[in-house]
Amino acid sequence: MWPCRHPRGGEAVLEEAAAAAGLAAYLLDDAERRGVDTLQCCVRGLTDADCGALAGLLAGPAALRLARLCTLDFGCNQIGCSGAAALAPLLGLAPLLKTLRLDSNCIGCRGASALAEAIAAHSAGALDSLLLGWNRIGDAGVSELADALGRGGAPRLRELSLEANGLGDAGADALVRGLAAGGQRLGR
């Protein structure tokens, strides 16, 4: 049984955590296939190990198939800091990525730091929606994200969700400074 459902030509839905190899095979199996525009892996019980396996497979020959990826949805899983760190390099492989959803996981400060590094390093130029609510990021993690935004990362960012992350005054101040320095204009 094929582990990935393909409701539309450009979308891949990960049916279960063990389907990472199947997803990579789908992206590689047809020389005519241009890749997917949406990778929806929400509410699948994905763990750090699953993210590491998936990222490892996608960073190989399948990376060419991520060129048109616009939405990466890993919300509502069991992803911690090492899972977020494994997924972060995918930002550099998906230049058209507009939406990154990792809300309702447990990426913490270290996971936010890995994402911040990737956003700063690759500028995440198309990213306009970053959904990281309910992740226990705290002031330190938000400060690192704010620093990446302030250095020009995600210049088109219009939606930033950080609710229920233990954000205090220090994190809020850093975020205001980072957004002002980076010129992002949140609109939602």
Side-chain angles (χ1 to χ4, degrees):
M1 178 173 182
W2 191 255
C4 297
R5 231 178 357 108
H6 314 294
R8 298 188 309 267
E11 181 173 329
V13 178
L14 195 59
E15 289 295 341
E16 57 189 54
L23 176 61
Y26 166 73
L27 292 172
L28 290 169
D29 76 341
D30 184 352
E32 299 297 315
R33 187 170 289 127
R34 295 187 335 242
V36 296
D37 57 22
T38 299
L39 182 53
Q40 182 179 0
C41 303
C42 61
V43 195
R44 302 292 178 206
L46 294 175
T47 65
D48 289 347
D50 298 318
C51 290
L54 182 60
L57 291 167
L58 292 178
L64 295 175
R65 308 294 191 211
L66 297 178
R68 59 177 265 226
L69 184 67
C70 294
T71 302
L72 185 57
D73 183 352
F74 279 63
C76 303
N77 281 293
Q78 300 166 18
I79 300 169
C81 59
S82 63
L87 294 173
L90 297 181
L91 293 175
L93 302 175
L96 300 179
L97 187 68
K98 294 180 78 164
T99 301
L100 176 60
R101 180 179 176 217
L102 277 169
D103 60 313
S104 298
N105 283 289
C106 293
I107 68 169
C109 177
R110 290 191 341 218
S113 176
L115 291 173
E117 281 183 41
I119 288 169
H122 303 294
S123 84
L127 192 66
D128 69 8
S129 182
L130 181 59
L131 309 174
L132 299 175
W134 301 91
N135 267 299
R136 302 178 186 165
I137 292 172
D139 285 339
V142 169
S143 293
E144 294 208 30
L145 286 167
D147 182 59
L149 297 173
R151 290 185 284 141
R156 292 187 176 97
L157 191 67
R158 297 295 173 261
E159 180 180 18
L160 177 62
S161 172
L162 293 169
E163 73 271 13
N165 271 305
L167 183 62
D169 290 343
D173 289 344
L175 188 57
V176 168
R177 284 191 309 275
L179 290 170
Q184 295 88 348
R185 302 272 185 233
L186 300 185
R188 296 182 194 158

